[in-house]
Structures are given as structure tokens and as C-alpha cells.
């Protein structure tokens, strides 16, 4: 076992994680994790993957991968040659396009396009005729209505006309009152704010404000180890969560909540249904420590 392997294994054991837990958190096969601890890099397919697996292993157990690469650079293989080889092998020679089977096949796309244009023109013609016919009917109906109103015209001072005007004014006033009420409700509604205020290493602190009640929801889209603690250090949730599992907790009365996720790309965190956007890219920092601070508004006396 190499010194690097000893360092990785000690860090894993200090975290209380088994190889199975680490496999679930990093998505790296257990036999490759064992090979890293034993320094048996020949088992791993390519030097590039050796460095990538060491980086994911280190971040999952809370070590700085860049410092490890610098300290043990003599023991870790250089991946440059493998990367060049992979890029060269990914270049495929261009193939000649097969010649059309016949002139008829060459003309087929043109014929299909022409037929489509004809169909579209026919549809537009039918729609225009229908609209014009409907317009003529509406015009005739409007003329008939105007003649009827002219025949039975209501005088300006008649009680019937005054009543109609009164009803119209009441409807307009009611609509304006409803509009004012809706505007007031919108103004009174508080908007939840989730803001990252500090980020260092694999840890980020988020401030949450703008809501009287807070509901925390943690959902896994892939297997991951998750731990949730309150400000007193009491564990609210700890252990492996399978794909599709969900954990909910009302944290309104909590000043602070701490989360640690083993595989950030597979863990979605919501507060009052609003998704918390990771400040640190989960693809680069898979294991993250997240602190949520509840900035409660002070009530005026």
C-alpha cells in the first residue's frame, strides 16, 4: 500500500464511510476504490481515470485533491499521453456519401415540398373564405340590430335607459375594486430569497429570507449519502438515500440547518418548493457541505 493510498484510506475511515458508502457517493466501482488504496493502478483502465478517480475519492472524504496531486506527483501517473491517444482515436475518417439510386429519387424531395405548398395554399384559401363569409353574416346581423334599435329607440331621459347606465356603472366599479384588491394581495405577498453569501473549499453558506414559514425538502435523483443537522448538532436525517427518496422537514423555528451530501449531482434541495442552486458546480465538487441560515424578519412592536 502506497503513502497516498494510506492517506485516502485513513480519511475515509475518519469519515466513518465504508467502501460501499464511498462507491455510492462517487459512482466509482468498489474494485477501483480498493486499487487506489493499494496503489495498484494497473487495474484502472488508463492513467487519465487514475487521476480522475483520485480527485473524486479525495473530495468525497474531504481532502484537497490539488494538494494531493502536488504532494504525491511522483506516485501519480501523468495522463497527458492517454488524453492525446483518446483524442486521436475519436477522429473518424469521412465516408463518401452514396450516390442517389435514380433520378426519380433525386426529384422526390422537390415533389414532396411542392405538394406540401399546394396543400397549405388550399387550406389558407378555405380559411379566408370561411372568415369572409362569417364577416358578411356578422355585418348583416349588425345592420338588422341597428334597424331594430332605431325602431324601438329608448329616449335619453327614460327610466329604462337610466337603469341600464346604472348597472353598467356598478359593474365597472366592481371590476375596479377587484383589480385594486388583487394588486394589494400581490404587494403583500412575500417572495422567498435564497442567496449564497460565503463559499470556501467544498462548503457554502446560503441566507434564506422573505418567508414566514420554511419547508425543507431533499430529493435524490441518484443514490447518495445525506446528512441533515440542526443548529444544535441534532441529526434530523443521516444515511444513504436511494434514487427517488425524499425527506421533508419544517425548519421555520430553526436559525440554521447544516447538510452534507456525498453526491451533489444526484441531490436536489428545495425550500418552500424553490430549488436551491448550487454555488459550487456539482460536477466539479461532488461532496459538499451546505449551511442554510434563516434570516427571520423582526416584528415591530
Amino acid at each position: 500500500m502506497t503513502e497516498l493510498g494510506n492517506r485516502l484510506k485513513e480519511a475515509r475511515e475518519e469519515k466513518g464511510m465504508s467502501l460501499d458508502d464511498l462507491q455510492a457517493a462517487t459512482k466509482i466501482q468498489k474494485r477501483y476504490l480498493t486499487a487506489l488504496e493499494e496503489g495498484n493502478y494497473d487495474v484502472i483502465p488508463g492513467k487519465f481515470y487514475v487521476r480522475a478517480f483520485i480527485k473524486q475519492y479525495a473530495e468525497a472524504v474531504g481532502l484537497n485533491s490539488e494538494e494531493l496531486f502536488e504532494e504525491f506527483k511522483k506516485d501519480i501517473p501523468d495522463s497527458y499521453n492517454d488524453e492525446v491517444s483518446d483524442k486521436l482515436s475519436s477522429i473518424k475518417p469521412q465516408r463518401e456519401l452514396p450516390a442517389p439510386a435514380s433520378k426519380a429519387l433525386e426529384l422526390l424531395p422537390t415533389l414532396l415540398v411542392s405538394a406540401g405548398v399546394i396543400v397549405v395554399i388550399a387550406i389558407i384559401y378555405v380559411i379566408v373564405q370561411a372568415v369572409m363569409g362569417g364577416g358578411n353574416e356578422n355585418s348583416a346581423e349588425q345592420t338588422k340590430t341597428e334597424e331594430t334599435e332605431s325602431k324601438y329607440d329608448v329616449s335619453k331621459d327614460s327610466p329604462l335607459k337610466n337603469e341600464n347606465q346604472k348597472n353598467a356603472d356598478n359593474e365597472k366599479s366592481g371590476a375596479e375594486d377587484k383589480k385594486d384588491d388583487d394588486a394589494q394581495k400581490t404587494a403583500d405577498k412575500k417572495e422567498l430569497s435564497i442567496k449564497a453569501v460565503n463559499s470556501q473549499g467544498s462548503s457554502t453558506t446560503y441566507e434564506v429570507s422573505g418567508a414566514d414559514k420554511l419547508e425543507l425538502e431533499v430529493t435524490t435523483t441518484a443514490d447518495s449519502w445525506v446528512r441533515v443537522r440542526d443548529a444544535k448538532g441534532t441529526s434530523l436525517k443521516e444515511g444513504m438515500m436511494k434514487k427517488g427518496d425524499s425527506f421533508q422537514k419544517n425548519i421555520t423555528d430553526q436559525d440554521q440547518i447544516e447538510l452534507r451530501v456525498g453526491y451533489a449531482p444526484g441531490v436536489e434541495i428545495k425550500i418552500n418548493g424553490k430549488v436551491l442552486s448550487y454555488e459550487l458546480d456539482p460536477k466539479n465538487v461532488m461532496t459538499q457541505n451546505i449551511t442554510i441560515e434563516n434570516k427571520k424578519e423582526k416584528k415591530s412592536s
Side-chain angles (χ1 to χ4, degrees), residues 206-240:
Y206 299 84
E207 284 188 357
V208 179
S209 60
D212 295 331
K213 295 182 180 180
L214 296 179
E215 184 76 19
L216 173 68
E217 181 179 358
V218 180
T219 305
T220 50
T221 57
D223 295 352
S224 178
W225 186 86
V226 177
R227 183 182 68 201
V228 184
R229 291 179 177 175
D230 61 16
K232 297 180 180 179
T234 303
S235 177
L236 306 178
K237 172 71 177 178
E238 184 170 356
M240 289 298 301

Side-chain angles (χ1 to χ4, degrees), residues 16-31:
M17 298 176 69
S18 66
L19 286 174
D20 291 329
D21 293 337
L22 191 58
Q23 175 179 266
T26 63
K27 304 304 178 182
I28 300 174
Q29 295 183 22
K30 184 177 178 181
R31 63 192 183 98

Side-chain angles (χ1 to χ4, degrees), residues 61-277:
V61 297
L63 295 177
N64 189 309
S65 59
E66 297 301 327
E67 293 179 357
L68 288 180
F69 287 143
E70 181 64 25
E71 183 178 354
F72 300 101
K73 60 183 178 181
K74 293 182 179 180
D75 299 330
I76 301 174
D78 187 1
S79 65
Y80 175 77
N81 293 333
D82 278 5
E83 291 177 355
V84 173
S85 176
D86 289 342
K87 290 179 180 178
L88 290 176
S89 64
S90 65
I91 300 175
K92 298 180 180 180
Q94 295 183 351
R95 298 179 180 178
E96 295 183 358
L97 295 175
S102 64
K103 289 290 183 180
L105 291 178
E106 289 182 355
L107 295 176
L108 182 59
T110 303
L111 294 175
L112 292 176
V113 172
S114 300
V117 171
I118 294 173
V119 171
V120 171
I121 293 175
I123 293 174
I124 293 175
Y125 176 79
V126 172
I127 293 175
V128 170
Q129 291 298 318
V131 172
M132 292 181 65
N136 292 335
E137 291 178 0
N138 292 336
S139 179
E141 183 67 24
Q142 183 177 359
T143 301
K144 184 177 180 181
T145 302
E146 290 176 353
E147 291 176 352
T148 303
E149 290 177 350
S150 177
K151 184 176 181 180
Y152 299 99
D153 188 20
V154 180
S155 63
K156 180 178 179 181
D157 299 328
S158 68
L160 179 59
K161 189 164 186 177
N162 291 337
E163 184 65 23
N164 291 339
Q165 184 63 38
K166 183 178 179 181
N167 291 337
D169 292 341
N170 289 338
E171 290 179 0
K172 182 177 179 181
S173 176
E176 291 177 351
D177 292 342
K178 183 178 180 181
K179 184 177 180 181
D180 292 340
D181 291 342
D182 292 341
Q184 185 63 36
K185 290 179 181 178
T186 302
D188 293 340
K189 186 178 180 181
K190 299 180 180 179
E191 182 178 357
L192 178 68
S193 172
I194 304 175
K195 180 174 63 174
V197 295
N198 185 29
S199 182
Q200 185 175 5
S202 60
S203 302
T204 305
T205 300
Y206 299 84
E207 284 188 357
V208 179
S209 60
D212 295 331
K213 295 182 180 180
L214 296 179
E215 184 76 19
L216 173 68
E217 181 179 358
V218 180
T219 305
T220 50
T221 57
D223 295 352
S224 178
W225 186 86
V226 177
R227 183 182 68 201
V228 184
R229 291 179 177 175
D230 61 16
K232 297 180 180 179
T234 303
S235 177
L236 306 178
K237 172 71 177 178
E238 184 170 356
M240 289 298 301
M241 292 181 66
K242 299 294 184 181
K243 178 181 178 181
D245 287 352
S246 179
F247 168 75
Q248 295 182 343
K249 181 69 177 178
N250 187 306
I251 60 171
T252 305
D253 297 331
Q254 299 291 335
D255 294 329
Q256 180 175 296
I257 292 293
E258 296 180 354
L259 298 93
R260 180 174 176 82
V261 295
Y263 183 61
V267 178
E268 183 181 66
I269 302 172
K270 292 182 180 179
I271 300 176
N272 290 4
K274 184 175 183 179
V275 177
L276 181 146
S277 179

